Amino acid sequence: MFAVLSAIARLIGIGGVLFIGLLIYEEGVPGANRIPFLTSIPVIGDLTAGRVHTYAAQQVKLATSNMVTKFERDAIASQLATERLLLSQANRAAADDRARATEALKQKTQAEAALEARIAADTGPDGGRWSEEDDRWNIAR
């Protein structure tokens, strides 16, 4: 191997060897990037795949990771918006329920006061009197 390299160096000179070496460093060995395990070896992979291919692969990984991150961020933002909408609907429903409960309590208090007033007004020597409403109820029973 060393003999071949020295013969090539004598033929094209040190400048030619450096040019070919830099070309291989930039572009890689043709067809070597198709060998999957060869490009995964740290130093040999950089030399065989080339700087251009390695840089492109890193950029693809970076872009893909940003796309996944953007997708996750959009999904979380959508979920947050949905939860905020549900929270506002729940708060509105709770406020409506509180208002109805307050109104029902007010009506109950008024009905109890009216009942107490009717009971207080319904006194006589016999301890109570029948009204027309009581007669209708007795007949319907």
Side-chain angles (χ1 to χ4, degrees):
M1 179 78 178
F2 186 71
V4 174
L5 290 177
S6 64
I8 292 173
R10 271 184 271 145
L11 283 172
I12 58 174
I14 192 73
V17 171
L18 289 174
F19 175 76
I20 291 174
L22 287 174
L23 185 65
I24 289 175
Y25 173 72
E26 282 290 318
E27 298 295 327
V29 177
N33 60 355
R34 287 184 241 158
I35 302 171
F37 67 89
L38 192 60
T39 56
S40 63
I41 301 170
V43 175
I44 296 173
D46 290 340
L47 292 176
T48 56
R51 190 178 70 85
V52 173
H53 177 72
T54 306
Y55 180 75
Q58 288 173 348
Q59 292 302 313
V60 167
K61 286 180 185 176
L62 182 65
T64 305
S65 69
N66 285 341
M67 286 176 18
V68 169
T69 303
K70 183 178 182 233
F71 170 75
E72 289 173 349
R73 185 179 63 238
D74 291 346
I76 289 171
S78 173
Q79 182 181 4
L80 180 63
T82 303
E83 289 178 3
R84 283 183 178 161
L85 176 67
L86 291 174
L87 178 64
S88 68
Q89 289 174 350
N91 287 338
R92 258 185 274 133
D96 292 345
D97 288 344
R98 279 192 296 273
R100 278 196 302 258
T102 303
E103 184 62 32
L105 186 61
K106 193 184 310 179
Q107 289 177 358
K108 177 185 172 240
T109 306
Q110 289 173 353
E112 286 177 348
L115 179 63
E116 291 296 327
R118 285 178 60 197
I119 290 172
D122 193 20
T123 58
D126 59 349
R129 59 183 170 199
W130 291 93
S131 66
E132 292 178 24
E133 188 178 329
D134 294 332
D135 288 336
R136 275 185 269 139
W137 178 80
N138 199 17
I139 291 170
R141 188 172 69 133

